[in-house]
Amino acid sequence: MTFLGMPLMRSKHAHTDLPGGQGNIVETEPFPEVSHQHLSNQQLRTNIGHATSSIRDKRAGVVAELDDWEELREAGSRAKNQVMANLPEYLVEFEENFTAAGGTIHWARDADEANAIVTELVEANAPVLANGRREVIKVKSMATQEIGLNEHLETQGIDAFETDLAELIVQLGEDKPSHILVPAIHRNRDEIRDIFMDKMPDAGKLTNDPAVLAEAARRHLRHKFLTTKVAVSGANFGIADTGTLGVVESEGNGRMCLTLPETLITVMGIEKLLPSFDDLGAFLQLLPRSSTGERMNPYTSFWTGRTEGDGPQNVHLVLLDNGRTRALADEHGRTALNCIRCSACMNVCPVYERTGGHAYGSTYPGPIGAILSPLLTGVEDEANGSLPYASSLCGACYDVCPVKINIPEILVHLRSEDVKANHSPVSTQLDTALTGASWMMGDGKRMAAAEKGLPFAHKATRGGQINALPGIARAWTSSRDIPGLPEKSFHQLWAESEGQAESEGRTDHDGETENGGDEK
């Protein structure tokens, strides 16, 4: 396939019947359907509300410590925009440097190619165990979740063990991640204790103390770290001028996976590149403050190819397109690829806080998921087409984004694309309603005439809340109430107020004149 005119995708697993770079993200039901189910889950809303508010407060505190926070955001945005404007050249530069350092690069157009590549590498390097299956350990990776790698490996006789604590909770609970940074944010400590006691044979009796639960996870994973020959990771950064990969994490499990196994396979989206090592100065301040509310990540690991006698000796990187070239071709939406997966937008989003991540039906939930998923796979699919509407357009996500992605602007753009692509009846009704409103509000006399009906509407509704409306408005009132209609419009109240003020002014003026005469 060609990447913006350049022959970059050279995988021997190519599928000639697939469009180049077409996204392939595992999805569930559309957002409008699933969100209604989750809105009624009080425990879910409590768990997520408590967690996101805690992270918000921590982030605000550490961001306030920096006088140059906005300058850092600008530097991060500038570096990512530079990458997107010159991505083919940076990919070639990165490949040359990564290969020169002893690593091997594989290009994957989509999820099928990436999964096939990883499977082949695991089969070549991981021994078959007594149970007839192979094993790999994994560092938390959004890219591998995006392509459904764990599920694919399972069908090929390969068991993938998550080593990130939250990912382990999700895996043992036979669940799905609901947050980019904290995949198990929808679980409380009692639920986690029950999962561990049910699914960990060596867990024994546990309390809900976080330290006790973390120690149980360490004991469970320690043997895997020491015996598994192959690890799979994602990457936060790829440095073009050195061929270096980087992972930032909070627990140390990532470093175990990156150093102990004999074979390391990394899956990274092609947009994760930075031009040079110098650019990391801004990102290593932006990312931890925006994600965990920390001044720096506890564990930051970089590796460049392979080193004889030190760490993994078989180092592979799968560079994943999976719709990213499609997103890059959208001049209005391509800045979504600047995302560094900090999750700050999710922690301030009122919609996410009430529905949770599962409602979004894709790997990337929250505001960034509402734009990234449709950009990667298109708005033609019903689930993707509905995601850009999962927002109040309050703008909080843009305010906290460390690389200044204008998410509200892209949401509006994608809503327009959805209307063009799907031409749904809802859009037709909305167009009719907005056209009528524009006609009425475009003329003062027409607006005044419409306001004369307000007293009748107030009387008809008895001044109470409106719980149900017909047509397209039914979707609005299905989850919210409209405040009661007033008896008088703002214009009427203003006119009455002005008239009263004028009358009072005349009275005061007359009084002043008389007083003045007396004084003289």
Side-chain angles (χ1 to χ4, degrees):
M1 98 175 241
T2 60
F3 177 87
L4 300 183
M6 301 185 66
L8 290 183
M9 299 300 164
R10 298 182 288 243
S11 170
K12 66 180 181 180
H13 299 279
H15 299 286
T16 56
D17 59 331
L18 292 176
Q22 177 67 38
N24 181 10
I25 298 178
V26 179
E27 297 179 348
T28 56
E29 300 175 73
F31 180 87
E33 299 175 14
V34 185
S35 60
H36 283 291
Q37 302 169 18
H38 293 309
L39 281 171
S40 61
N41 188 334
Q42 186 58 46
Q43 184 63 62
L44 173 74
R45 294 177 63 174
T46 299
N47 295 347
I48 293 177
H50 173 72
T52 54
S53 63
S54 298
I55 298 173
R56 283 199 303 268
D57 292 343
K58 289 180 63 179
R59 176 201 171 275
V62 294
V63 165
E65 296 174 351
L66 299 180
D67 295 332
D68 62 344
W69 178 251
E70 290 304 317
E71 287 79 3
L72 285 170
R73 290 181 73 207
E74 183 60 36
S77 177
R78 186 168 54 248
K80 294 300 292 185
N81 286 336
Q82 180 180 344
V83 169
M84 297 311 145
N86 303 279
L87 187 53
E89 291 82 359
Y90 282 124
L91 284 168
V92 171
E93 181 183 7
F94 178 83
E95 180 186 35
E96 292 174 348
N97 291 321
F98 187 87
T99 303
T104 302
I105 280 187
H106 310 262
W107 299 88
R109 292 187 305 177
D110 52 35
D112 291 337
E113 286 188 19
N115 286 332
I117 293 168
V118 174
T119 300
E120 184 177 302
L121 291 171
V122 173
E123 290 175 343
N125 294 283
V128 177
L129 304 179
N131 61 2
R133 300 179 65 84
R134 293 180 169 88
E135 292 183 352
V136 299
I137 51 177
K138 286 187 72 231
V139 185
K140 181 179 182 297
S141 165
M142 298 298 294
T144 60
Q145 291 173 14
E146 176 187 323
I147 63 177
L149 179 63
N150 288 12
E151 294 78 6
H152 173 80
L153 292 178
E154 185 177 5
T155 66
Q156 304 302 306
I158 302 168
D159 297 319
F161 293 91
E162 297 289 351
T163 63
D164 175 85
L165 178 57
E167 290 286 354
L168 177 64
I169 294 167
V170 169
Q171 186 178 48
L172 293 177
E174 299 179 1
D175 202 351
K176 292 183 179 296
S178 63
H179 191 277
I180 289 177
L181 179 70
V182 194
I185 196 172
H186 57 290
R187 298 286 195 182
N188 60 34
R189 62 177 68 181
D190 292 326
E191 293 173 307
I192 295 169
R193 176 200 58 203
D194 294 342
I195 290 172
F196 280 9
M197 291 178 62
D198 182 46
K199 296 298 178 68
M200 286 183 181
D202 53 348
K205 186 70 174 176
L206 300 174
T207 69
N208 67 358
D209 187 312
V212 172
L213 297 174
E215 180 59 28
R218 290 190 189 98
R219 291 196 305 268
H220 176 74
L221 292 171
R222 191 164 295 143
H223 177 72
K224 297 297 181 186
F225 285 135
L226 296 174
T227 60
T228 307
K229 302 296 183 183
V230 178
V232 177
S233 83
N236 292 98
F237 308 108
I239 311 301
D241 67 351
T242 61
T244 300
L245 293 173
V247 164
V248 295
E249 37 118 7
S250 300
E251 301 167 14
N253 60 294
R255 185 162 295 178
M256 300 286 277
C257 292
L258 298 171
T259 56
L260 293 178
E262 297 174 359
T263 298
L264 175 60
I265 306 166
T266 301
V267 181
M268 182 181 78
I270 56 177
E271 82 283 10
K272 291 295 188 72
L273 295 184
L274 293 178
S276 72
F277 235 94
D278 293 339
D279 296 302
L280 283 170
F283 286 94
L284 291 181
Q285 296 182 75
L286 290 168
L287 181 55
R289 283 177 165 82
S290 298
S291 57
T292 57
E294 296 173 297
R295 296 177 182 85
M296 64 180 292
N297 288 96
Y299 295 90
T300 302
S301 302
F302 295 100
W303 67 101
T304 307
R306 62 179 292 273
T307 301
E308 190 70 34
D310 182 15
Q313 296 302 292
N314 299 313
V315 180
H316 298 266
L317 171 63
V318 180
L319 279 170
L320 177 68
D321 186 336
N322 205 41
R324 285 158 175 79
T325 52
R326 175 178 186 151
L328 192 65
D330 187 328
E331 62 177 330
H332 300 289
R334 67 177 54 150
T335 54
L337 294 175
N338 292 357
C339 176
I340 58 176
R341 310 293 192 266
C342 70
S343 77
C345 63
M346 300 168 63
N347 298 326
V348 298
C349 179
V351 176
Y352 173 84
E353 186 171 337
R354 285 158 179 78
T355 64
H358 291 157
Y360 291 81
S362 68
T363 302
Y364 304 103
I368 189 61
I371 61 173
L372 191 56
S373 296
L375 285 167
L376 293 177
T377 61
V379 296
E380 295 79 10
D381 180 87
E382 182 184 0
N384 280 341
S386 68
L387 286 177
Y389 299 95
S391 170
S392 64
L393 299 180
C394 67
C397 50
Y398 179 41
D399 292 339
V400 300
C401 178
V403 289
K404 302 180 71 172
I405 301 172
N406 194 332
I407 295 178
E409 184 178 87
I410 300 175
L411 285 167
V412 173
H413 161 65
L414 290 173
R415 291 180 184 185
S416 174
E417 292 298 302
D418 172 57
V419 171
K420 294 176 185 176
N422 297 319
H423 304 288
S424 65
V426 170
S427 300
T428 302
Q429 292 180 40
L430 181 60
D431 290 341
T432 302
L434 290 177
T435 300
S438 176
W439 177 84
M440 181 184 68
M441 296 179 182
D443 182 88
K445 293 181 179 179
R446 289 195 291 265
M447 187 68 180
E451 289 174 349
K452 290 180 179 179
L454 200 55
F456 301 101
H458 172 80
K459 187 174 182 179
T461 60
R462 299 180 181 178
Q465 291 182 334
I466 300 174
N467 301 318
L469 288 175
I472 185 177
R474 185 183 298 111
W476 178 270
T477 54
S478 66
S479 58
R480 55 181 68 80
D481 297 321
I482 296 179
L485 298 174
E487 286 189 87
K488 299 178 180 180
S489 71
F490 175 78
H491 282 153
Q492 292 170 323
L493 293 172
W494 179 267
E496 292 178 3
S497 175
E498 287 292 291
Q500 181 180 358
E502 184 178 346
S503 175
E504 292 176 352
R506 283 197 300 270
T507 302
D508 292 344
H509 180 71
D510 292 342
E512 288 173 3
T513 301
E514 292 174 0
N515 291 338
D518 290 343
E519 288 175 359
K520 288 178 181 178

